Amino acid sequence: QLIGETAKQEFLVNNEIVQLENATLGYENLLDTIARQLQLWEIFALDRNGKETAISRVLHSNQYLVFIDNLETAENAKALVARFANILGSSCAILTSRVKVGGASTRSMTLDGLVLTDSIYFLNAEAKKIGAQQILVAKDGLLSDIHEITGGSPLALKLVAAQSKYLELDLILAQLRKAGSRLFPFIFLQSWGQLSETAQMILVYIGKTVFDTVSADELALAELAANENDMVDAISQLDAYSLLNTSYSNGQIRYSIHQLTRQFVVSDLPKIWSEQGLF
């Protein structure tokens, strides 16, 4: 069973992004998250040592996978990892971070981009799926340029393929070269400008408020679209631009977004608006 928590420092409060000054994921927060997701409500009445003992007993007696995202935002990350490792027992944890926070109890893995041949294969497979003809007829030299600029990032490759349906590849590449270190915000912004207002609202809603996945019914309850057809069109548009992930669980279609897409929504987009005097 998967248990998840995020160490993000930005939250949606009254339709505004609030930046917290201090790390939001403390050790006791993590224990509370595990208790809440496993519905062990009696643990909340215990002090921190009691919670630690109770959670340790659960993690030792069952095999869980604990997923902690954005750990680099927690100032106490190394201490949290060291202490949590002592109670994992037969369970395991996956931590994501742009900064190494490992120790003797952890094994670090660096995720690099695809190699050139895999990038070209991935681009062609994605192009066939979405009907991106420019990619399908492009020469290997042009595809190699896309690989070099994106660093072989699968998400960046998907976004470029999606954009090639409405922009010339030469223009896309020229703009990406200018983007430099702000590659992802630039790519996302290009796609963002093509979205309908409803699609934008759905993307922002998921990015700010949905940690895992969300159903179409839940999105409808949030009153993001004028009607059902508007909602369907917006979801289709987000999928076409590779901004929405679709999964199937318990007989229901669920939606989620990539972590880099979330980063664009909650961090990069407000900064861009601020620079433009819109926020």
Side-chain angles (χ1 to χ4, degrees):
Q1 183 175 344
L2 176 65
I3 305 169
E5 179 60 291
T6 179
K8 67 182 180 179
Q9 291 179 281
E10 293 165 314
F11 288 84
L12 179 66
V13 178
N14 296 328
N15 296 319
E16 294 184 3
I17 296 174
V18 177
Q19 180 77 33
L20 303 183
E21 294 181 358
N22 300 314
T24 61
L25 180 60
Y27 183 62
E28 189 167 1
N29 298 137
L30 180 57
L31 297 177
D32 287 342
T33 290
I34 296 173
R36 183 176 65 253
Q37 294 189 21
L38 296 180
Q39 299 185 14
L40 302 173
W41 309 118
E42 67 278 5
I43 289 180
F44 287 94
L46 305 175
D47 59 20
R48 189 170 73 168
N49 290 335
K51 291 177 181 178
E52 182 179 57
T53 300
I55 294 297
S56 177
R57 188 180 303 115
V58 171
L59 296 178
H60 275 75
S61 60
N62 300 278
Q63 289 187 327
Y64 292 98
L65 177 60
V66 183
F67 181 74
I68 306 175
D69 193 24
N70 284 344
L71 196 57
E72 70 273 9
T73 63
E75 295 175 5
N76 57 341
K78 290 185 178 180
L80 185 149
V81 168
R83 187 161 186 177
F84 187 61
N86 290 327
I87 70 167
L88 269 175
S90 58
S91 298
C92 297
I94 295 177
L95 321 171
T96 68
S97 173
R98 295 183 183 88
V99 179
K100 288 186 178 181
V101 293
S105 58
T106 64
R107 183 175 66 180
S108 297
M109 295 181 64
T110 300
L111 299 181
D112 298 318
L114 301 176
V115 299
L116 175 59
T117 53
D118 289 341
S119 283
I120 293 177
Y121 179 85
F122 183 88
L123 273 170
N124 281 304
E126 185 67 19
K128 288 179 183 178
K129 185 173 73 173
I130 66 174
Q133 292 300 316
Q134 282 196 90
I135 298 290
L136 293 174
V137 301
K139 296 181 179 180
D140 284 349
L142 189 56
L143 298 182
S144 295
D145 288 342
I146 296 175
H147 163 79
E148 180 183 353
I149 293 174
T150 61
S153 164
L155 179 59
L157 294 171
K158 287 186 67 172
L159 293 172
V160 169
Q163 290 183 3
S164 72
K165 295 185 67 175
Y166 61 88
L167 288 175
E168 293 290 337
L169 269 178
D170 288 340
L171 176 60
I172 294 174
L173 289 173
Q175 292 178 325
L176 292 182
R177 289 190 179 97
K178 293 179 182 177
S181 61
R182 292 182 57 81
L183 177 67
F184 275 103
F186 182 83
I187 295 177
F188 282 121
L189 189 60
Q190 293 293 102
S191 298
W192 171 266
Q194 301 296 319
L195 299 177
S196 67
E197 182 177 349
T198 300
Q200 289 179 344
M201 291 174 63
I202 291 174
L203 190 63
V204 170
Y205 177 82
I206 295 177
K208 292 178 179 178
T209 66
V210 178
F211 171 72
D212 188 16
T213 62
V214 64
S215 69
D217 289 341
E218 292 171 82
L219 291 175
L221 288 174
E223 299 183 344
L224 303 170
N227 50 57
E228 185 175 299
N229 288 337
D230 190 28
M231 174 72 72
V232 171
D233 288 344
I235 290 175
S236 298
Q237 189 178 36
L238 288 169
D239 179 67
Y241 284 98
S242 296
L243 294 171
L244 195 66
N245 300 327
T246 304
S247 59
Y248 192 75
S249 177
N250 296 323
Q252 186 181 56
I253 294 177
R254 310 283 299 181
Y255 304 104
S256 61
I257 60 175
H258 191 282
Q259 185 58 36
L260 288 173
T261 309
R262 190 184 307 279
Q263 173 70 22
F264 171 75
V265 169
V266 302
S267 181
D268 296 320
L269 190 57
K271 289 177 183 176
I272 292 170
W273 285 340
S274 179
E275 292 169 359
Q276 296 175 345
L278 303 175
F279 188 75

